Structures are given as structure tokens and as C-alpha cells.
Amino acid sequence: MLDLSDKKREDSWNDVHDKELAKTVLTHIRNGSTQLAAFEEVASRINRTQSACGFRWNKELRKQYENEVLEAKQNRSKQKPVKKEREIFVTVSNVSADSPSVPVSYNEALKQIIILANEQIQKYNELLQENIELREEINNLKSQKQQEVPEGLAKEDLDAFLQIMKRAKSLTHA
């Protein structure tokens, strides 16, 4: 029979992940942020879910870090709480498709969006100006063509040519 007591899970928590989780939670407490925000932040770094991080902290680690949590809470009360901006993932056009997204703050993301929007407006205005210039050029070419050979003159030349051809024909048959 298989003895499961010796078997270890491949995805079990290790000391590095535990220390990263604890360090992040304590930092958030010191900065006046929430433990939920800490779980959210650390989850992506250690490739776990927020729930798994919260469970690990509450079930196993909190007891080990009781003194540090108390100290962090005391330090928090001495300073004005700092609201940490949530991070979002954005990919901008100058980042290649195979490069990873970079976490940036909402304000930074908005700045990047505004920069991109302004660039698009500038490109639009350049295209609009080019369109106007091309239309003017087309109109100029049309007017030059009309000036070179007036429509009536071309018809008169054709009529004259046809009369000459008729006379030539009549002279050869006579």
C-alpha cells in the first residue's frame, strides 16, 4: 500500500514564498493599506491566488509574525496612512507583443493614454492637411488641363479634321 505521509505536493508553500508573503503583508500594514491589497500584490509575484495567500497568512503565518504585526500597526498609527494606488496592467504600442505587460499606476496609465491620444490627434490632423493639399493639387491639375485644351476647341478641331477627310475622299473618287 502507498504511504502518503512521505509524499510532498509539488505546489506546496516554501520558505521563500512564506517570507515574501509576510514581508508584503507587513509592508502594507505599515503603510496603512489592507491585508487584502497585500494578498493581491503578492499573489501575482509568487504565482498563487489571492485566496491562497490569504488562507496561508491567516492559517499558518500570522501566528509566527504576531510581534511584527503589532509593531507594524503601532508604526502605522504614528504616521499618516498612505493610500497606495492600485496597479493595472497596460501594454502600450511601443512595447512588443511578446514582452510582458508592465504594472503601472492609474495616473501613469492615464498619462500614457493621453499621450497616445494626442499622438493620434496629431496624426489625424496631418492626414487631414495632406488630404486638403491633395484635393487642391487635383483641382489645380484639372484647371490646367482645361486651360490647355478648351473643350470647344477640341470639338472644332475634330469637325475641321472630318471635313478635310471628306473633301479628300471626294477628290479621290471624282
Side-chain angles (χ1 to χ4, degrees):
M1 188 162 171
L2 184 63
D3 182 16
L4 295 179
S5 62
D6 293 339
K7 191 139 176 106
K8 188 175 183 182
R9 287 180 56 149
E10 290 180 28
D11 64 342
S12 62
W13 286 81
N14 60 40
D15 287 343
V16 174
H17 290 167
D18 283 347
K19 287 178 184 174
E20 182 71 20
L21 175 59
K23 181 181 98 175
T24 304
V25 170
L26 293 171
T27 300
H28 275 260
I29 292 171
R30 264 187 232 102
N31 291 335
S33 182
T34 65
Q35 291 179 21
L36 290 175
F39 302 151
E40 180 181 355
E41 179 185 325
V42 77
S44 60
R45 286 203 307 259
I46 63 173
N47 200 24
R48 305 252 180 203
T49 65
Q50 292 174 292
S51 299
C53 293
F55 185 81
R56 180 68 176 182
W57 173 255
N58 289 317
K59 181 80 172 146
E60 301 292 330
L61 299 178
R62 180 188 292 219
K63 296 170 193 138
Q64 297 173 22
Y65 289 90
E66 276 185 45
N67 293 336
E68 289 88 342
V69 169
L70 287 173
E71 184 179 317
K73 286 181 178 179
Q74 288 171 351
N75 287 339
R76 175 181 59 192
S77 63
K78 291 178 185 175
Q79 59 182 319
K80 185 177 180 181
V82 177
K83 280 191 175 180
K84 183 179 182 243
E85 291 179 344
R86 294 191 64 195
E87 292 180 339
I88 58 172
F89 290 92
V90 281
T91 304
V92 289
S93 60
N94 60 352
V95 177
S96 64
D98 57 345
S99 66
S101 295
V102 181
V104 295
S105 70
Y106 283 124
N107 288 339
E108 185 61 32
L110 285 173
K111 286 177 189 174
Q112 289 178 359
I113 290 168
I114 290 169
I115 289 169
L116 290 173
N118 285 333
E119 289 172 1
Q120 293 303 311
I121 289 169
Q122 184 178 353
K123 285 179 185 178
Y124 172 78
N125 287 333
E126 288 170 2
L127 288 172
L128 196 59
Q129 184 61 37
E130 183 180 359
N131 186 304
I132 291 169
E133 290 169 4
L134 289 172
R135 285 178 187 269
E136 286 176 4
E137 186 177 341
I138 288 170
N139 289 335
N140 287 339
L141 289 172
K142 282 181 180 178
S143 68
Q144 282 178 3
K145 181 182 173 191
Q146 288 175 353
Q147 289 173 359
E148 287 174 4
V149 181
E151 243 181 75
L153 186 60
K155 185 173 181 343
E156 288 175 15
D157 287 346
L158 181 60
D159 288 342
F161 177 72
L162 289 174
Q163 282 180 356
I164 292 171
M165 291 303 288
K166 281 182 187 177
R167 274 192 225 156
K169 185 179 179 183
S170 68
L171 289 175
T172 57
H173 287 283

